[in-house]
């Protein structure tokens, strides 16, 4: 016994349409199958990735435009102080930092860090020209930049030549941080004419030594190292 799907009237098995509403009678066992079509296109389009050359041109044009614009504004409008030197120097530093990542990826990391140090030193020189004082540059600014560059070179050497695991890199960082802080404090004391001794950098040294001992312990105990890697997802 079947019924009309529209009005619900009882239908005779031989009927093809409902006698009351003329709705076609469909046999559920003989309903034709219609393949559903996907609303999405069959072919997937691909966006061409940006080329390194295009990125280099874009960054160079952007930084050059900022530098030239600020230089013109400083020359024609805001003529009180040569403030545009700070903007131009900053753009130069950014451009030099981008060299090994965009312009020339085959550049040695040691040379790249050295160039970054030179760019930062030149930027500090521009600041000294703006402030009209060079004492802090030669006794504080340049030595700190040289110290940071030297320690960064040691870090890269350790990562590339010794070990570059997560725990080893962390060990290198906690070993170099106190050296940098001690160097900064001694340079500042020398610049101010104070006695050469460590005070606040000793706190940094103590904290870093604690972390160094913990990391070395983990590295020396294989089972502890593997458990730490598993829990920290290294």
């Amino acid at each position: 016994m079947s019924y009309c799907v529209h009005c619900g009237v009882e239908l005779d098995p031989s009927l093809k349409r409902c006698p009351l509403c003329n709705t076609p009678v469909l046999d559920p066992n003989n309903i034709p199958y219609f393949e559903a079509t996907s609303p999405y296109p069959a072919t997937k389009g691909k966006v061409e990735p940006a080329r390194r050359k295009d990125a280099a041109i874009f960054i160079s044009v952007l930084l050059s435009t900022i530098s030239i614009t600020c230089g013109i504004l400083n020359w024609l409008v805001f003529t009180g102080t040569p403030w545009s030197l700070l903007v131009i120097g900053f753009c130069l530093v950014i451009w030099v930092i981008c060299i090994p990542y965009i312009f020339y990826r085959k550049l040695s990391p040691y040379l790249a860090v050295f160039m970054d140090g030179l760019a930062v030193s030149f930027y500090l020189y521009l600041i000294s020209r703006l402030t009209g004082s060079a004492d802090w540059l030669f006794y504080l600014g340049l030595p700190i930049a040289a110290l940071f560059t030297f320690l960064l070179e040691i870090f890269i050497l350790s990562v590339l030549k010794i070990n570059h695991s997560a725990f080893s890199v962390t060990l290198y960082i906690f070993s170099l941080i106190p050296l940098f802080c001690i160097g900064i404090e001694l340079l500042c004391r020398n610049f101010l004419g104070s006695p050469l001794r460590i005070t606040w950098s000793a706190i940094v040294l103590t904290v870093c030594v604690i972390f160094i001992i913990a990391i070395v312990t983990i590295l020396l105990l294989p089972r502890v190292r593997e458990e730490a890697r598993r829990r920290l997802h290294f």
Side-chain angles (χ1 to χ4, degrees):
M1 183 180 296
S2 59
Y3 299 89
C4 177
V5 297
H6 181 68
C7 62
V9 69
E10 185 177 352
L11 301 174
D12 186 85
S14 61
L15 294 176
K16 301 297 183 182
R17 290 182 173 272
C18 175
L20 183 62
C21 63
N22 201 31
T23 301
V25 178
L26 299 177
D27 185 358
N29 296 323
N30 295 323
I31 296 178
Y33 174 75
F34 297 97
E35 184 178 358
T37 58
S38 174
Y40 305 102
T43 58
K44 297 181 180 180
K46 294 183 178 180
V47 179
E48 184 179 359
R51 296 181 180 180
R52 187 176 61 190
K53 180 180 179 181
D54 298 335
I57 295 175
F58 173 76
I59 291 178
S60 299
V61 171
L62 178 63
L63 296 177
S64 301
T65 303
I66 295 174
S67 301
I68 295 173
T69 302
C70 291
I72 293 176
L73 288 175
N74 194 182
W75 180 37
L76 298 178
V77 183
F78 306 101
T79 59
T81 58
W83 56 268
S84 61
L85 293 177
L86 299 179
V87 180
I88 296 172
F90 181 77
C91 291
L92 177 63
V93 171
I94 297 299
W95 190 83
V96 173
I97 292 176
C98 291
I99 288 178
Y101 303 101
I102 299 176
F103 298 96
Y104 187 67
R105 293 185 179 180
K106 295 181 180 180
L107 186 66
S108 170
Y110 308 106
L111 181 58
V113 170
F114 180 73
M115 293 173 58
D116 294 341
L118 291 180
V120 172
S121 300
F122 180 71
Y123 186 57
L124 295 177
Y125 169 73
L126 293 180
I127 296 176
S128 68
R129 290 292 303 272
L130 183 62
T131 58
S133 175
D135 292 340
W136 67 269
L137 175 66
F138 294 105
Y139 294 100
L140 197 61
L142 293 181
I144 291 178
L147 176 62
F148 181 78
T149 303
F150 175 71
L151 293 178
L152 191 56
E153 294 279 9
I154 294 178
F155 174 76
I156 295 176
L157 177 64
S158 302
V159 172
L160 296 180
K161 299 297 183 180
I162 302 177
N163 196 330
H164 59 272
S165 64
F167 288 114
S168 298
V169 172
T170 306
L171 178 63
Y172 305 149
I173 293 175
F174 280 106
S175 299
L176 296 177
I177 286 177
L179 297 178
F180 183 61
C181 293
I182 292 173
I184 290 179
E185 184 174 11
L186 294 178
L187 289 171
C188 291
R189 285 183 168 274
N190 180 62
F191 178 72
L192 298 174
S194 303
L196 295 180
R197 59 190 180 89
I198 61 175
T199 54
W200 61 266
S201 60
I203 301 176
V204 180
L205 176 62
T206 303
V207 175
C208 290
V209 166
I210 294 174
F211 279 100
I212 289 172
I213 294 175
I215 297 173
V216 170
T217 304
I218 292 174
L219 292 174
L220 293 178
L221 298 176
R223 282 185 287 186
V224 176
R225 182 175 66 249
E226 294 302 323
E227 182 67 17
R229 284 179 178 175
R230 185 176 64 85
R231 293 185 178 275
L232 298 176
H233 304 285
F234 284 165

Short mmCIF file of all heavy atoms in Angstrom, two decimals, residues 16 21 44 97 151 158 200 211:
data_model
loop_
_atom_site.label_atom_id
_atom_site.label_comp_id
_atom_site.label_asym_id
_atom_site.label_seq_id
_atom_site.Cartn_x
_atom_site.Cartn_y
_atom_site.Cartn_z
N LYS A 16 0.16 5.90 -12.03
CA LYS A 16 1.40 6.61 -12.29
C LYS A 16 1.37 8.02 -11.71
O LYS A 16 2.42 8.61 -11.48
CB LYS A 16 1.67 6.68 -13.79
CG LYS A 16 1.79 5.32 -14.47
CD LYS A 16 2.99 4.55 -13.91
CE LYS A 16 3.14 3.20 -14.63
NZ LYS A 16 4.27 2.42 -14.07
N CYS A 21 -4.18 15.10 -6.80
CA CYS A 21 -3.33 16.30 -7.02
C CYS A 21 -2.42 16.16 -8.24
O CYS A 21 -1.62 17.05 -8.51
CB CYS A 21 -2.51 16.59 -5.78
SG CYS A 21 -1.33 15.28 -5.35
N LYS A 44 42.60 23.39 -9.47
CA LYS A 44 43.01 24.32 -8.43
C LYS A 44 44.05 25.30 -9.00
O LYS A 44 45.06 24.88 -9.55
CB LYS A 44 43.62 23.58 -7.25
CG LYS A 44 42.63 22.65 -6.55
CD LYS A 44 43.28 21.96 -5.37
CE LYS A 44 42.29 21.03 -4.67
NZ LYS A 44 42.92 20.33 -3.51
N ILE A 97 70.71 44.12 7.01
CA ILE A 97 70.22 42.91 7.68
C ILE A 97 69.50 41.99 6.70
O ILE A 97 69.56 40.76 6.82
CB ILE A 97 69.31 43.29 8.86
CG1 ILE A 97 70.13 43.97 9.97
CG2 ILE A 97 68.59 42.07 9.42
CD1 ILE A 97 69.29 44.48 11.12
N LEU A 151 80.32 38.32 20.17
CA LEU A 151 79.59 37.23 20.84
C LEU A 151 78.63 36.54 19.89
O LEU A 151 78.44 35.32 19.95
CB LEU A 151 78.83 37.78 22.05
CG LEU A 151 79.70 38.31 23.21
CD1 LEU A 151 78.83 38.87 24.31
CD2 LEU A 151 80.61 37.21 23.74
N SER A 158 79.45 28.24 17.26
CA SER A 158 79.08 27.12 18.11
C SER A 158 77.93 26.32 17.51
O SER A 158 77.94 25.09 17.54
CB SER A 158 78.69 27.63 19.51
OG SER A 158 79.75 28.36 20.09
N TRP A 200 75.07 44.70 39.06
CA TRP A 200 73.84 44.13 38.53
C TRP A 200 74.10 42.98 37.57
O TRP A 200 73.29 42.04 37.47
CB TRP A 200 73.00 45.21 37.85
CG TRP A 200 73.68 45.87 36.68
CD1 TRP A 200 74.41 47.00 36.69
CD2 TRP A 200 73.68 45.40 35.31
NE1 TRP A 200 74.89 47.30 35.44
CE2 TRP A 200 74.44 46.34 34.57
CE3 TRP A 200 73.12 44.32 34.66
CZ2 TRP A 200 74.66 46.20 33.21
CZ3 TRP A 200 73.33 44.18 33.29
CH2 TRP A 200 74.08 45.11 32.58
N PHE A 211 70.81 28.12 35.18
CA PHE A 211 70.25 27.50 33.98
C PHE A 211 71.30 26.66 33.26
O PHE A 211 70.98 25.59 32.71
CB PHE A 211 69.68 28.58 33.05
CG PHE A 211 68.32 29.06 33.43
CD1 PHE A 211 68.16 30.25 34.12
CD2 PHE A 211 67.19 28.34 33.09
CE1 PHE A 211 66.91 30.70 34.48
CE2 PHE A 211 65.93 28.78 33.44
CZ PHE A 211 65.78 29.97 34.14
#
